[in-house]
Amino acid sequence: MKPFTVSRALISLQAASRHSLKQNLIASIRPTPKGTFSKPQLQLSFRRSFADTAPARKPTSRLRFFLRWTWRLTYLCAIAGIGLTAYNIYELRHPAEQVDPDPDKKTLVILGTGWGAVSLLKKLETENYNVIVISPRNYFLFTPLLPSCTTGTVEHRSIMEPIRNILRSKTGRVRYFEADATKVDYEKKVVHISDNSAIKGDVSTSEVPFDMLVVGVGADNATFGIPGVREHSCFLKEVGDAQAIRKRIMDCVETSNFKDQSPAEQDRLLHMVVVGGGPTGVEFAGELQDFFEEDLKKWIPDICDKFRVTLVEALPNVLPSFSKHLVEYTEQAFKDEKITIRTKTMVKKVTDKTIEAEVTNPDGSKTLETIPYGLLVWATGNAVRPVVKDLMGQIPAQKSSRRGLAVNEFLVVEGTENIWAVGDCAIANYAPTAQVAAQEGAFLARLFNAMAKSESHERELENLKFIQSTATDPAEKEEVTARIHTHERQMRRVKQITAFEYSHQGSLAYIGQEQAVADIPWLYGNISSGGTLTFLFWRSAYLSMCFSSEMPFKLSNLHRKIIFTWLIKNDP
């Protein structure tokens, strides 16, 4: 066959194939009898070359699912927290208008701005009374962190909250006088006050009448009549005490490095003595040793072999309120930190350079010993303040009381009807701690709020009963009767307030080197622990207490400063 003929045959074959394909395509998309195209036919005609079904998705792992939702919840909580913080800051900067005092209402006078008084003010509905606060200290002091201020771990301004800031957030206006309560006249119901500040006006003494009085002035430092204690010791109750201790520490260190100072005098100046084995003394000793290890050692290497910390306690062991296991743990921790513990050592006399102490030996014999010191911190016990002692002398029922105002189960001072006492100045068979004082203040707030509501219901009942006696319309009389029953039920509920009962939340103490001990009640027993994890718990517990010391859900400068100082701590 010729090539030309073959080519024409191939061309004819290709044309026939194209014609056949075209006919088949037209037939496949031919309209149905109803005049529409078939959907399966259209899909089949225009389908591209891919799989008929999508590939199966791999199942998401549980961990990935958990992490994904955890991140989403964290993100939402962060947004909500920022919004809440912004709202709280706005509220703090734009407080609402306060209700002015009503002269027809009772005058409630509160002496002090400590744990008990501030806890009472936080929860008290001040619009129900004419509230007056009297205290020489115009701020609330977070005392559990006071030992940390002595060495600069926490700045003292971080644990102070202005009392004016707390009072401004109340609904009813509260008057505050920065003054000392010098005398309480129980018969005349008058408090004598005196302005003892550095700046005085034309009037520096006055009298404040009261209908109800709450005494929360705390306690003084107990010296037990030991000569020289008040003249030569440093106490640890106020911010000024912490600042004085901080200055005394550095003075001792620098004086020991003075030119031509004798080795014996250097040993004396660098011997820091703490008297009192309670939580305050133990925490200060731990903080002081940390200050030496972390700072003083680097600044002045020459004092490494001479700096010493000694803890003196008259009882057989330190931390008497803690379990035996934690006492042994603390003593071993102090031994590792090179802190000397002198138990069964009773101070008899204090001079400007030495301590004379009576030491009980293991055989029971007693010897006198002279202990030289550069710094002496006295952290033992409480004593009654003069204003409390004077008030006790005016009340016959308080004649047998020696350590403070004896109170009943409702914290009413025995022998009175309109005076209450909270905190260290009250004797309620509980340990004199901040925890007890705070719960006592909260209890009194509930009690006073209930009393105000009860009086309001009583006044309303008198009015309703008068209306009932004069009503002539049966429908009106029935309505008034129903209102009377409602108020009587409400008054019964208000009066069902029980006596004060202390709920112990546990005991905590810092022992140095980022270690702490904790004795926490749990169910029918106690959980005792010590170490670094307990230190983290101690820190978080104190932070949570700081947050609760302000009004609910308020972020104050106190909280932000403490968080910044602890969590973003830089080397000096």
Side-chain angles (χ1 to χ4, degrees):
M1 182 179 292
K2 296 180 180 181
F4 178 76
T5 307
V6 173
S7 299
R8 291 188 64 179
L10 288 173
I11 291 170
S12 300
L13 183 60
Q14 291 176 356
S17 298
R18 286 195 298 270
H19 179 73
S20 176
L21 181 60
K22 184 178 181 180
Q23 293 295 326
N24 291 336
L25 180 60
I26 293 172
S28 65
I29 63 175
R30 182 173 298 162
T32 60
K34 295 182 179 180
T36 60
F37 290 102
S38 173
K39 185 175 180 180
Q41 291 176 345
L42 286 172
Q43 290 176 344
L44 182 63
S45 301
F46 295 100
R47 180 177 296 167
R48 296 179 181 268
S49 57
F50 54 78
D52 292 339
T53 58
R57 295 180 62 183
K58 295 181 179 180
T60 305
S61 64
R62 292 184 178 179
L63 177 61
R64 188 173 180 183
F65 177 81
F66 173 76
L67 293 176
R68 180 190 301 169
W69 279 102
T70 301
W71 163 249
R72 291 176 180 175
L73 291 175
T74 304
Y75 186 71
L76 292 174
C77 290
I79 294 176
I82 293 172
L84 182 61
T85 302
Y87 175 73
N88 288 332
I89 292 174
Y90 176 83
E91 274 198 333
L92 286 172
R93 294 183 177 179
H94 302 84
E97 291 294 329
Q98 292 182 303
V99 178
D100 291 328
D102 185 354
D104 295 331
K105 293 183 178 179
K106 291 183 178 180
T107 299
L108 171 62
V109 175
I110 301 173
L111 304 182
T113 53
W115 282 92
V118 170
S119 180
L120 165 61
L121 287 168
K122 280 171 53 180
K123 300 182 181 299
L124 179 67
E125 296 173 0
T126 55
E127 63 272 17
N128 296 325
Y129 299 95
N130 296 322
V131 183
I132 300 175
V133 179
I134 301 171
S135 175
R137 192 176 70 184
N138 64 350
Y139 56 86
F140 166 71
L141 182 64
F142 191 81
T143 51
L145 292 180
L146 195 58
S148 301
C149 292
T150 59
T151 57
T153 304
V154 174
E155 184 62 29
H156 68 274
R157 290 186 299 270
S158 301
I159 61 171
M160 299 165 61
E161 185 72 16
I163 193 65
R164 296 280 188 182
N165 185 39
I166 297 174
L167 300 182
R168 185 61 183 87
S169 63
K170 303 304 295 182
T171 303
R173 191 183 302 276
V174 179
R175 287 185 293 172
Y176 168 73
F177 299 132
E178 185 183 67
D180 286 301
T182 56
K183 181 181 177 62
V184 176
D185 193 328
Y186 174 62
E187 294 294 334
K188 296 181 179 179
K189 296 184 179 180
V190 168
V191 179
H192 297 264
I193 62 175
S194 174
D195 181 8
N196 293 326
S197 60
I199 299 176
K200 295 182 175 64
D202 294 336
V203 178
S204 58
T205 59
S206 185
E207 298 179 356
V208 179
F210 66 86
D211 297 310
M212 303 164 62
L213 177 67
V214 176
V215 182
V217 297
D220 204 352
N221 296 287
T223 62
F224 305 103
I226 300 173
V229 172
R230 196 167 294 278
E231 293 81 6
H232 306 294
S233 300
C234 294
F235 300 104
L236 194 52
K237 271 187 176 294
E238 302 290 342
V239 169
D241 299 335
Q243 292 174 326
I245 291 172
R246 189 171 180 176
K247 183 178 183 300
R248 182 69 181 255
I249 293 170
M250 295 310 302
D251 285 346
C252 288
V253 171
E254 297 297 347
T255 304
S256 69
N257 280 274
F258 193 76
K259 188 176 182 300
D260 300 330
Q261 197 73 266
S262 66
E265 186 66 4
Q266 287 181 341
D267 290 339
R268 181 189 72 80
L269 290 169
L270 295 176
H271 187 202
M272 312 295 171
V273 178
V274 184
V275 178
T280 301
V282 168
E283 288 185 349
F284 173 70
E287 291 280 2
L288 184 55
Q289 188 66 24
D290 286 351
F291 181 49
F292 167 71
E293 295 289 343
E294 297 173 5
D295 295 324
L296 292 179
K297 218 185 215 182
K298 302 174 187 176
W299 300 343
I300 314 173
D302 297 338
I303 68 172
C304 290
D305 298 331
K306 298 180 179 180
F307 190 90
R308 293 177 297 150
V309 178
T310 300
L311 182 64
V312 177
E313 171 57 45
L315 296 177
N317 56 266
V318 297
L319 298 176
S321 61
F322 286 71
S323 63
K324 183 179 179 181
H325 165 69
L326 293 181
V327 171
E328 294 173 352
Y329 183 89
T330 302
E331 292 175 348
Q332 182 60 44
F334 273 17
K335 184 178 180 180
D336 296 339
E337 297 171 28
K338 300 179 181 178
I339 298 176
T340 304
I341 298 179
R342 301 285 302 270
T343 56
K344 298 182 180 180
T345 303
M346 186 176 296
V347 178
K348 293 296 184 179
K349 184 180 179 182
V350 177
T351 66
D352 59 339
K353 293 183 179 181
T354 61
I355 299 172
E356 294 182 10
E358 184 182 74
V359 182
T360 303
N361 300 315
D363 59 356
S365 62
K366 297 180 179 180
T367 58
L368 288 177
E369 183 178 346
T370 300
I371 304 172
Y373 72 89
L375 168 70
L376 174 62
V377 175
W378 194 267
T380 62
N382 296 323
V384 180
R385 292 192 183 274
V387 63
V388 176
K389 186 178 295 185
D390 179 77
L391 178 60
M392 292 164 57
Q394 301 177 43
I395 305 171
Q398 299 289 327
K399 294 295 184 181
S400 60
S401 183
R402 294 289 180 269
R403 296 181 294 112
L405 292 166
V407 297
N408 63 12
E409 64 274 16
F410 291 94
L411 304 182
V412 179
V413 175
E414 293 183 357
T416 69
E417 295 180 353
N418 58 343
I419 299 180
W420 292 259
V422 295
D424 295 350
C425 65
I427 306 302
N429 297 324
Y430 300 112
T433 63
Q435 191 177 158
V436 173
Q439 293 188 28
E440 288 176 342
F443 169 80
L444 279 189
R446 295 193 300 270
L447 178 65
F448 292 163
N449 293 339
M451 290 169 58
K453 291 178 181 177
S454 177
E455 291 176 0
S456 175
H457 286 308
E458 288 177 355
R459 289 193 299 268
E460 187 65 23
L461 281 173
E462 289 180 2
N463 294 333
L464 290 174
K465 287 179 181 179
F466 176 76
I467 295 173
Q468 184 187 38
S469 62
T470 58
T472 56
D473 186 6
E476 181 185 0
K477 197 169 186 178
E478 184 178 354
E479 180 184 356
V480 172
T481 303
R483 292 175 59 187
I484 289 175
H485 291 330
T486 302
H487 280 282
E488 287 177 345
R489 285 196 302 269
Q490 292 175 349
M491 192 166 64
R492 282 195 297 269
R493 285 197 297 267
V494 166
K495 288 185 176 181
Q496 289 177 352
I497 185 167
T498 58
F500 172 72
E501 185 175 351
Y502 170 62
S503 174
H504 185 57
Q505 303 299 316
S507 301
L508 300 170
Y510 178 65
I511 59 175
Q513 289 190 346
E514 295 191 347
Q515 297 184 85
V517 290
D519 206 352
I520 310 297
W522 179 259
L523 298 179
Y524 300 103
N526 281 11
I527 296 178
S528 301
S529 66
T532 303
L533 290 178
T534 309
F535 164 72
L536 296 176
F537 173 74
W538 171 83
R539 174 180 292 182
S540 61
Y542 277 174
L543 279 175
S544 66
M545 290 171 68
C546 284
F547 277 99
S548 64
S549 70
E550 178 55 63
M551 298 302 147
F553 308 108
K554 304 269 188 191
L555 286 175
S556 66
N557 289 331
L558 166 66
H559 312 138
R560 290 194 292 271
K561 287 176 184 175
I562 291 177
I563 294 173
F564 181 80
T565 304
W566 268 350
L567 303 184
I568 314 176
K569 183 181 178 183
N570 297 320
D571 291 333

